[in-house]
């Protein structure tokens, strides 16, 4: 008997078995999570992603969607980036601000702990110094990040997704970001930066 398959509203593939029951196909994600990012899977269309979100939509274009909401205990912007009409990348840009630049390290460690619990230890992590004038003054590392001299980064990988956590500086501001990208569909995205990536405008 020829098997029948279909795509559900959330982008998951199901197959009709000989017992007359529909079963989800193997998603390629770790554990039992059927999604790659939030309630979305790579390759979904914009309308599917829009319907999956309950956060406030604040910007929409052909290249992407940006929502304002929360992740963990932090207010954030959540961006979904599309190429050829398919979801290929997504990211959180945290909006919380601290009086002391060093307090951002606590946020970085908190998010890293969440990611470790979900995906295991990072496949790679590093402190990258672009200017090491403050390297010997650990109490000034927050200032070094704000100046763009220092970047903290950690990365994970699943069968379908590459995940990165980054603490960096730009124009005297400290940015904390978590980015998810499709390993299979990443080549669809044009290398040129699109307007939806310019989260700093908000």
């Amino acid at each position: 008997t020829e098997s029948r398959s279909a795509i559900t509203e959330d982008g998951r593939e199901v197959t009709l078995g000989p017992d007359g029951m529909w079963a989800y196909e193997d998603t390629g994600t770790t554990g039992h999570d059927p999604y790659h990012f939030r309630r979305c899977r790579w390759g979904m269309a914009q309308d599917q992603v829009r319907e999956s979100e309950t956060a406030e939509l604040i910007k929409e274009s052909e290249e992407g969607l940006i929502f304002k909401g929360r992740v963990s205990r932090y207010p954030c912007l959540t961006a979904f980036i599309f190429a050829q009409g398919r979801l290929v990348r997504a990211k959180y840009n945290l909006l919380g601000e601290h009086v002391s630049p060093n307090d951002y390290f606590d946020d970085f460690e908190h998010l890293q702990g969440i990611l470790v619990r979900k995906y295991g230890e990072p496949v790679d992590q590093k402190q990258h110094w672009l200017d090491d004038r403050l390297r010997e003054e650990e109490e000034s590392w927050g200032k070094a990040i704000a100046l763009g001299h220092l970047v903290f980064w950690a990365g994970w990988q699943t069968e379908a997704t590459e995940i990165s956590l980054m603490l960096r500086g730009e124009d005297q501001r400290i940015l904390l970001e978590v980015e998810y990208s499709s390993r299979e569909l990443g080549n669809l995205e044009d290398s040129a930066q699109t307007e939806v990536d310019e989260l700093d405008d908000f």
Side-chain angles (χ1 to χ4, degrees):
T1 304
E2 183 179 356
S3 63
R4 294 175 56 193
S5 62
I7 302 297
T8 65
E9 290 184 358
D10 61 13
R12 300 163 65 187
E13 184 175 358
V14 291
T15 300
L16 183 64
D19 57 358
M21 300 293 290
W22 291 95
Y24 287 108
E25 290 292 290
D26 181 13
T27 64
T29 56
T30 59
H32 301 288
D33 190 350
Y35 305 113
H36 296 130
F37 179 76
R38 295 175 69 81
R39 293 182 58 81
C40 296
R41 290 180 51 76
W42 303 129
M44 285 175 62
Q46 279 203 25
D47 58 346
Q48 293 177 304
V49 172
R50 192 186 304 105
E51 292 171 5
S52 77
E53 272 296 323
T54 57
E56 177 190 1
L57 178 64
I58 61 172
K59 187 172 183 179
E60 180 174 6
S61 70
E62 184 177 337
E63 292 83 16
L65 303 169
I66 298 179
F67 296 85
K68 188 174 184 179
R70 300 186 68 85
V71 59
S72 183
R73 61 192 185 196
Y74 307 102
C76 72
L77 296 178
T78 305
F80 296 85
I81 296 93
F82 299 83
Q84 299 182 26
R86 305 172 71 186
L87 179 64
V88 297
R89 187 161 57 91
K91 66 191 299 184
Y92 294 118
N93 187 358
L94 275 67
L95 299 176
E97 295 186 1
H98 297 293
V99 174
S100 170
N102 287 338
D103 289 341
Y104 288 92
F105 293 119
D106 294 334
D107 295 342
F108 182 91
E109 291 177 358
H110 176 74
L111 289 177
Q112 181 166 327
I114 293 174
L115 292 167
V116 165
R117 289 195 296 275
K118 184 166 186 178
Y119 301 109
E121 292 299 321
V123 294
D124 194 12
Q125 53 186 325
K126 63 186 68 174
Q127 300 172 15
H128 181 54
W129 286 90
L130 302 169
D131 184 325
D132 61 4
R133 280 178 287 181
L134 297 174
R135 190 166 191 162
E136 302 305 316
E137 304 174 31
E138 190 167 343
E139 69 279 3
S140 298
W141 281 11
K143 179 181 178 181
I145 289 176
L147 292 170
H149 296 176
L150 171 62
V151 175
F152 274 69
W153 180 90
W156 292 261
Q157 193 173 86
T158 71
E159 184 177 344
T161 307
E162 291 185 354
I163 303 137
S164 64
L165 170 64
M166 184 179 297
L167 182 62
R168 64 184 182 89
E170 185 176 283
D171 298 328
Q172 300 289 322
R173 296 175 57 222
I174 295 181
L175 304 176
L176 182 54
E177 305 165 327
V178 190
E179 182 169 289
Y180 295 69
S181 58
S182 169
R183 298 181 63 188
E184 179 183 0
L185 303 178
N187 61 341
L188 295 180
E189 186 178 8
D190 191 278
S191 58
Q193 191 175 43
T194 64
E195 64 173 351
V196 77
D197 284 319
E198 299 293 342
L199 294 179
D200 302 336
D201 291 344
F202 292 86

